[in-house]
Amino acid sequence: MHTVRFRFGLLLLAFAAVTAAAGDALLKYIPAGTEYAVSVDADALRKLSFFKDLSTNSDAKTFLEDFERDYNIRLEDCSELLFVGGGRRLRGMLAETRLSEQALASRLRKFGDRFSISGEGGRKLYCLLSADSIVSSRITIALTYLEPQVVLATEREYIAPFFAGLAAPAEARRALVTAPKGRPLAWSFLRVEALTGGKKKKNDLSSMFLKGMRTAYLELNVAGDGSGWRLDGSALCANAASAQQIAMLLPTYLQLGAGLLFADDPALGREFLQQVKIIPDNDRVILELNVPKSLADRLGGFLESQAKKRIAPPDPVPPGVGPAVGPGGK
């Protein structure tokens, strides 16, 4: 794999970006050229009842192992995460961590020859080569401490572009991203015009939907112990006319998406869409989604059943071949 494995960040984006208030400790390291950001309050996430229930879930265990493999740092070591990226060579995960630099180095040294130390821009890089069986798929992930409790993790080749982005004035860099005023569980920001700029315009729904949008912001909050949740979004548009057009198109996109996601339970999909409010407000479009506990429970059960359906079945056993038998016939 030749691109850093930002499955965690991309997953959050794809599901409307869960959100955590990244404090100034992380926001001040947003590099010039940033086009998207996804933040997660890991400490707050761990306190939710549903997250605690995941401790017995094998899929969750696999996810946590994948996270550690992809970034060479454990989720349990992090209090906040901020994924940022832009263009082809600017991407990285910023983590506010309790793990000391000495402890990290000691942990990575256990990987033997795959571990190495190098430097970039006057900073020490702790590098680990992945163990992919296919040599061409192996990548080197580098971690560097920007300050005692802030770590940057990304592919080794992306360290230099990230550092170059940090050379711009801090105030200008910080202005690239709209961050929450409070402390939601998670948030995301997308500079739509930067991602769509220069591309040929097509007369399809996606082009009509995006061409009038400048930026998009989403944040997720939970109610009580996390049994219910609320998603709030805001899209800044080129003008009021664009906002009206996007507000008219958005229900179509939601219905198409719900039709695919809830194909096995259309009634649940309709109930989910009934919770959505879309409000044009001058040059903005506001989205509100409230999911009470009763609906959240049903959604959780449905998504779990869908996940199980997508698990690949075991390979068939050829005729005449029985199960493996251990010593002594046991």
Side-chain angles (χ1 to χ4, degrees):
M1 182 181 296
H2 297 289
T3 58
V4 71
R5 298 162 177 171
F6 277 78
R7 288 177 298 188
F8 189 61
L10 293 177
L11 178 65
L12 300 185
L13 280 172
F15 283 90
V18 282
T19 92
D24 290 339
L26 299 185
L27 289 174
K28 68 181 180 182
Y29 290 110
I30 287 177
T34 294
E35 296 172 350
Y36 69 82
V38 179
S39 177
V40 181
D41 188 336
D43 277 344
L45 183 66
R46 279 188 288 270
K47 294 177 182 178
L48 299 179
S49 58
F50 84 86
F51 188 83
K52 296 176 182 177
D53 294 339
L54 292 178
S55 60
T56 58
N57 185 295
S58 59
D59 291 335
K61 182 180 179 181
T62 300
F63 167 77
L64 294 175
E65 291 173 348
D66 288 347
F67 180 88
E68 180 179 358
R69 183 195 64 205
D70 293 347
Y71 299 106
N72 301 332
I73 192 170
R74 296 169 185 166
L75 186 61
E76 65 191 46
D77 296 326
C78 305
S79 55
E80 292 185 1
L81 303 173
L82 179 63
F83 301 83
V84 297
R88 295 183 177 181
R89 294 178 55 79
L90 182 66
R91 59 193 70 184
M93 181 190 77
L94 294 162
E96 188 169 358
T97 180
R98 293 171 285 272
L99 184 68
S100 69
E101 187 168 356
Q102 182 180 5
L104 173 68
S106 177
R107 182 188 294 174
L108 295 181
R109 283 192 177 94
K110 297 178 181 178
F111 289 94
D113 293 341
R114 289 169 51 207
F115 171 69
S116 63
I117 296 179
S118 64
E120 186 77 44
R123 296 184 183 274
K124 185 179 292 186
L125 305 181
Y126 300 94
C127 304
L128 189 66
L129 179 66
S130 67
D132 298 74
S133 58
I134 302 175
V135 176
S136 61
S137 298
R138 294 174 185 170
I139 59 175
T140 297
I141 297 296
L143 292 92
T144 182
Y145 277 75
L146 303 179
E147 57 183 79
Q149 291 185 317
V150 175
V151 171
L152 166 65
T154 187
E155 286 187 41
R156 176 64 180 88
E157 63 181 298
Y158 297 138
I159 289 289
F162 202 101
F163 283 178
L166 293 178
E171 185 176 347
R173 292 188 287 106
R174 177 64 183 79
L176 291 171
V177 171
T178 297
K181 296 179 180 178
R183 292 190 64 85
L185 174 65
W187 60 266
S188 72
F189 174 83
L190 180 64
R191 191 170 295 280
V192 179
E193 58 185 350
L195 299 179
T196 58
K199 296 183 179 180
K200 294 182 179 180
K201 304 296 182 182
K202 298 179 181 179
N203 293 322
D204 55 21
L205 282 176
S206 60
S207 296
M208 293 173 62
F209 182 72
L210 294 175
K211 68 179 181 180
M213 192 183 300
R214 297 292 178 258
T215 63
Y217 171 83
L218 288 159
E219 72 173 51
L220 181 72
N221 289 281
V222 294
D225 63 352
S227 56
W229 46 273
R230 175 186 174 98
L231 179 71
D232 291 280
S234 175
L236 175 63
C237 307
N239 47 49
S242 295
Q244 288 285 349
Q245 183 179 28
I246 290 173
M248 291 184 352
L249 287 171
L250 189 53
T252 300
Y253 278 90
L254 291 175
Q255 289 172 5
L256 289 173
L260 294 173
L261 179 62
F262 297 102
D264 291 344
D265 192 343
L268 181 60
R270 288 192 295 270
E271 185 175 348
F272 176 80
L273 289 177
Q274 288 174 359
Q275 307 302 317
V276 180
K277 291 183 180 180
I278 300 169
I279 309 165
D281 181 19
N282 196 14
D283 61 350
R284 293 180 181 272
V285 177
I286 298 171
L287 180 144
E288 297 177 356
L289 171 61
N290 284 288
V291 179
K293 181 181 185 305
S294 57
L295 180 57
D297 289 343
R298 291 174 59 201
L299 285 171
F302 173 77
L303 294 176
E304 183 177 356
S305 67
Q306 293 295 298
K308 290 179 178 178
K309 286 178 61 175
R310 286 163 173 74
I311 296 177
D315 293 333
V317 179
V321 177
V325 179
K330 298 181 180 179

